Amino acid sequence: LSRAWEISASDCAGQQTQATFDPALIELLLPLINGARVALPPPGRLLPESLVGWFVAQGVTFSAFVPSTLARFTEGASGVQGLRLRVACCGGEVLAPDLAQRFVRETGARLFNVYGPTEAVIFATAWPCPALQEGEVLPIGRPIDDVRIYVLDEGLNTQPLGVAGEIYIGGDALARGYLHRPELDAIAFLPDPFREQGRMYRTGDRGWWGSDGQLHFSGRLDRQVKLRGYRVELGEIEASALACPGVRQAAVKLVSHEGQQRLFLWL
């Protein structure tokens, strides 16, 4: 990312991502290893719309977003003068083409659509969004440095171009595993059949390679969903609901309601 974003000592990161959310490390560590500044937010909660004024005051040049905050930031940036933001990334959920287009138009900044679970140490792929996009789904790009991406079938064989399979991530940036959870390690972290002594992470995500070498995301293999960048296991919510007295049936679904993604629970 340092090379792709051309981060230098003249840059300033806007640290507005929650510290418990791994993209915050991009805003904290990326500037520090390049001699750049980190602008820390004032106490209290900053609404995404109000981030624009803070970015202007601090001279922020790059930051990280999820689609929900990117949308409200873009609304706040309309017509604002003095914004120095030149590069940003957006991940955690599917990025809509029209939102990406509005952001680039309103801010003039470069926007990268990024993908990568925490187990792959934040980002694994990135795609630079052009000023104009066509189509319903944006690609999630190519592997970044030290990352290997595979799209495999159930037998761990590579899938042809255009054929969906499960996304596996290999390379030197993988997490060591889950703390004190060897049973989960055995399921999620497997030997890399394409690299001697290598490891790969089983994401549970479906994807396919385009003829242009870009990776496309096409959903989950299980019922896990993403909401504001966080992983949500629908089955766990249903199990908790069923544990309540008098509840015999429960169903949870992520739906779009009044322009926002929300979890609905039926009992």
Side-chain angles (χ1 to χ4, degrees):
L1 289 179
S2 291
R3 185 178 69 253
W5 292 4
E6 301 176 342
I7 301 299
S8 70
S10 62
D11 281 302
C12 176
Q15 203 290 301
Q16 46 88 22
T17 304
Q18 293 182 3
T20 54
F21 191 26
D22 57 338
L25 297 177
I26 296 296
E27 299 168 333
L28 289 170
L29 300 183
L30 192 59
L32 296 181
I33 64 175
N34 289 282
R37 293 187 297 119
V38 180
L40 299 178
R45 182 179 180 184
L46 277 179
L47 297 176
E49 299 89 337
S50 65
L51 286 174
V52 179
W54 178 63
F55 274 28
V56 172
Q58 297 296 325
V60 171
T61 59
F62 72 94
S63 193
F65 297 90
V66 295
S68 54
T69 58
L70 186 75
R72 295 174 62 180
F73 180 91
T74 301
E75 293 176 3
S78 180
V80 173
Q81 302 295 318
L83 186 64
R84 294 179 56 193
L85 188 67
R86 66 176 187 83
V87 64
C89 62
C90 187
E93 301 171 53
V94 175
L95 175 61
D98 61 334
L99 173 56
Q101 183 175 340
R102 290 201 313 272
F103 174 83
V104 173
R105 182 176 63 248
E106 295 291 350
T107 66
R110 298 170 65 198
L111 178 64
F112 287 79
N113 187 27
V114 294
Y115 162 80
T118 303
E119 291 86 347
V121 189
I122 311 176
F123 300 147
T125 68
W127 184 72
C129 300
L132 297 174
Q133 293 96 17
E134 295 182 358
E136 297 181 355
V137 181
L138 301 179
I140 52 178
R142 300 175 184 269
I144 64 173
D145 290 352
D146 301 322
V147 173
R148 298 165 65 91
I149 299 290
Y150 310 117
V151 177
L152 309 178
D153 63 14
E154 294 180 355
L156 301 184
N157 301 302
T158 56
Q159 294 286 60
L161 296 179
V163 178
E166 184 168 3
I167 299 174
Y168 289 77
I169 302 175
D172 299 327
L174 289 184
R176 297 179 182 178
Y178 302 105
L179 185 63
H180 306 316
R181 298 297 300 272
E183 73 283 1
L184 293 182
D185 292 345
I187 297 173
F189 293 94
L190 308 176
D192 187 337
F194 310 103
R195 186 180 184 188
E196 186 176 356
Q197 297 183 339
R199 301 165 61 241
M200 63 181 186
Y201 170 66
R202 183 175 191 174
T203 67
D205 294 327
R206 285 178 57 83
W208 51 276
W209 289 111
S211 58
D212 56 357
Q214 303 290 347
L215 183 65
H216 294 254
F217 175 78
S218 57
R220 289 285 301 178
L221 292 167
D222 54 21
R223 297 185 63 213
Q224 183 188 102
V225 299
K226 283 289 193 74
L227 182 61
R228 291 187 289 277
Y230 293 96
R231 301 181 191 180
V232 179
E233 298 287 352
L234 300 183
E236 293 182 358
I237 299 176
E238 292 169 349
S240 297
L242 290 171
C244 296
V247 177
R248 300 181 60 183
Q249 293 181 317
V252 181
K253 186 177 181 180
L254 180 66
V255 299
S256 179
H257 180 71
E258 298 180 349
Q260 295 184 351
Q261 293 290 312
R262 298 182 179 180
L263 290 173
F264 278 59
L265 170 64
W266 292 269
L267 304 175

